[in-house]
Structures are given as structure tokens and as C-alpha cells.
């Protein structure tokens, strides 16, 4: 679940099943999760700056493009994935679709990026919002277990502004995920973080949650 080749194969096969491109949602579409996301994009950290949003492990989901489309404040939405196949499919899709954002200053981009290397692209305190729909779940379920997910969480907390948030949409039970998040957040040297959870809903008998992690300055 954390291997580039596995995901490349997955997106190659799913795109070959239909003649025209169709977004693939691992679970839930934008409409189900929008009320968790859009209220976090109501205030700008700097008057002149674009809100910086990262959809981490975007796959071919419509989540990032929908945030770009519906944000009233100007934002730059970066949709990043380890799979170049997913990135190319999305780049081609938005080129043909020509999505119009509510705010004409908003920007949308797709990049190939291994989220364990987030620090190579983002300096500390530069992102306003990171959304992760199923990506940490994929890392947690890899052979290495939580090791890689912990590296990613640490980098997300570094890359976020103090006022920013990381939203993890996941089917992992709060008993396990909250304990892990709270332990990891306590272990951060420079920043600590507040952790909260809300239920999103059920899909095919599985309950999904939204974990919100907000860094706070310590000292
Ligand atoms: C469960 S899928 C979720 C995809 C999408 N967010 C959705 O909701 O449909 C996990 C995604 O994480 C990506 N991924 C896995 N490991 C990654 C890594 N180290 N860096 C960036 N993306 C990764 C995969 O390519 C895949 O697209």
C-alpha cells in the first residue's frame, strides 16, 4: 500500500476500464467531506498571500480540484501523489475540463511527490491546510506499519502554520488513531499539536472519521 509501483499499476488499470476519465474516490467524495474542509479556508494568514492547501496522496480524486473550485478566498491547491500515473491522469483531466474557480486568483497544480520527503518542497510553517483522504491509512497498513506514517506526520506538523490544520479522513478506529496521534504530537520537539476527532459517516458498513491535528507553538 505504500509502493509507487503498486499505485501506478492500480491507476493504470482503473483508467483503462473506462473510455473517458472518471475520478476514483477511495471513499467519500468532496460533497461528503466539504463541511469539514471549507470552514478552515475562511481566513487568510497574510492579507496578500494565497491560502496554501495540500491534498497529500491525491490519487485521481476530485477532492483537490473541488477545493480549488469552491474556495471563496484565493488559494493554491497542490495535489501531490507518489504515483506519476495518477498525477499525469489528473493533469490531462483538468486540462480538458478547464475548471473555473470561484476566486479567479486561485491556482491548482499536480505534482509527483513522496510525502515522506515533504521537507524538500515545503519550508516550516508554510501550509495552511493539508488534507489526507486515505493516505495515512495506506502507509499504516504497509509492511513497515506506523514508521513511515510517523515520519509523514512529523513533516506535516513542521510544514503547517501554527494556525493551520491537518485533516486525516480515515476508517481507523479512534481508540487506535487518537492514541497514536496524541503520542506522536507529544513527541514533537518544537511544536505540539491539538488532536480532535469527528465522525464523518458510514459507507458499506464501515465508519469513517475526520481527525484534525492543529500544531500549536510551545513555550
Ligand atoms: C488510499 S489511496 C487514496 C487516494 C485519494 N486520496 C482518494 O481519496 O481517492 C492512497 C494514495 O496515497 C498515495 N501514496 C502512497 N504512498 C505515498 C507517498 N509516500 N507519498 C505520496 N503519496 C503516496 C497512493 O499513490 C494513493 O494515491
Amino acid at each position: 500500500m505504500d509502493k509507487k509501483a503498486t499505485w501506478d499499476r492500480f491507476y493504470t488499470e482503473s483508467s483503462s476500464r473506462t473510455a473517458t476519465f472518471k475520478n476514483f474516490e477511495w471513499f467519500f467524495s468532496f460533497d461528503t467531506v466539504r463541511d469539514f474542509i471549507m470552514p478552515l479556508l475562511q481566513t487568510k494568514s497574510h492579507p496578500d498571500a494565497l491560502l496554501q492547501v495540500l491534498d497529500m496522496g491525491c490519487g485521481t480524486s476530485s477532492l483537490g480540484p473541488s477545493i480549488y473550485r469552491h474556495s471563496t478566498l484565493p488559494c493554491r491547491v497542490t495535489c501531490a501523489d507518489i504515483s506519476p500515473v495518477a498525477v499525469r491522469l489528473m493533469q490531462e483531466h483538468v486540462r480538458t475540463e478547464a475548471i473555473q474557480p470561484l476566486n479567479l486568483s486561485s491556482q491548482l497544480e499536480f505534482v509527483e511527490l513522496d510525502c515522506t520527503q515533504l521537507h524538500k518542497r515545503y519550508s516550516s510553517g508554510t501550509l495552511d491546510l493539508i488534507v489526507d483522504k486515505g493516505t495515512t491509512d495506506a502507509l499504516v497498513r504497509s509492511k513497515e506499519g506506523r514508521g513511515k506514517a510517523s515520519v509523514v506526520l512529523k513533516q506535516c506538523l513542521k510544514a503547517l502554520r501554527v494556525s493551520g490544520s491537518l485533516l486525516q479522513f480515515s476508517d481507523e478506529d479512534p481508540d487506535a488513531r487518537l492514541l497514536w496521534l496524541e503520542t506522536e504530537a507529544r513527541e514533537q520537539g518544537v511544536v505540539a499539536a491539538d488532536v480532535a476527532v469527528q465522525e464523518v459517516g458510514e459507507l458499506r458498513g464501515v465508519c469513517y472519521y475526520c481527525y484534525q491535528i492543529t500544531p500549536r507553538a510551545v513555550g
Side-chain angles (χ1 to χ4, degrees), residues 7 11 24-26 57-59 61 81-82 113-115 133-135:
W7 289 106
Y11 290 116
F24 179 88
E25 305 294 343
W26 199 252
C58 59
S61 161
D81 203 282
I82 199 170
L113 179 74
D114 180 346
C115 60
K133 186 157 72 73
T135 303

Side-chain angles (χ1 to χ4, degrees), residues 12-182:
T12 304
E13 283 169 12
S14 48
S15 69
S16 67
R17 275 186 223 119
T18 49
T20 50
F21 175 85
K22 200 170 174 308
N23 293 107
F24 179 88
E25 305 294 343
W26 199 252
F27 54 82
F28 292 143
S29 64
F30 173 72
D31 285 340
T32 310
V33 295
R34 66 181 296 161
D35 290 347
F36 295 90
I37 297 173
M38 299 316 284
L40 300 174
L41 297 175
Q42 303 293 339
T43 40
K44 283 213 259 179
S45 37
H46 294 291
D48 303 329
L50 297 173
L51 284 164
Q52 301 290 332
V53 181
L54 170 67
D55 180 3
M56 188 175 72
C58 59
T60 58
S61 161
S62 67
L63 187 65
S66 302
I67 296 171
Y68 160 75
R69 188 169 163 204
H70 293 281
S71 177
T72 48
L73 291 181
C75 60
R76 176 185 293 120
V77 180
T78 303
C79 302
D81 203 282
I82 199 170
S83 164
V85 174
V87 170
R88 188 180 35 78
L89 284 166
M90 287 305 285
Q91 282 168 335
E92 284 167 9
H93 170 60
V94 296
R95 212 172 295 134
T96 20
E97 278 281 292
I99 308 162
Q100 283 304 308
L102 274 182
N103 190 304
L104 294 177
S105 301
S106 289
Q107 299 171 12
L108 177 65
E109 62 178 359
F110 295 89
V111 296
E112 186 184 334
L113 179 74
D114 180 346
C115 60
T116 61
Q117 309 281 311
L118 224 54
H119 64 283
K120 291 191 179 163
R121 189 176 176 96
Y122 296 104
S123 318
S124 297
T126 50
L127 286 171
D128 294 286
L129 177 65
I130 303 175
V131 285
D132 160 354
K133 186 157 72 73
T135 303
T136 293
D137 292 355
L139 299 179
V140 163
R141 282 159 197 164
S142 72
K143 233 170 40 193
E144 295 163 47
R146 294 195 189 263
K148 215 177 236 186
S150 295
V151 169
V152 172
L153 176 64
K154 195 177 214 161
Q155 295 201 16
C156 287
L157 288 176
K158 266 226 169 89
L160 280 171
R161 295 184 201 282
V162 167
S163 56
S165 284
L166 162 64
L167 294 183
Q168 293 179 342
F169 293 97
S170 168
D171 63 355
E172 189 171 36
D173 196 87
D175 283 349
R177 179 63 62 95
L178 274 184
L179 181 67
W180 172 65
L181 287 171
E182 282 164 358

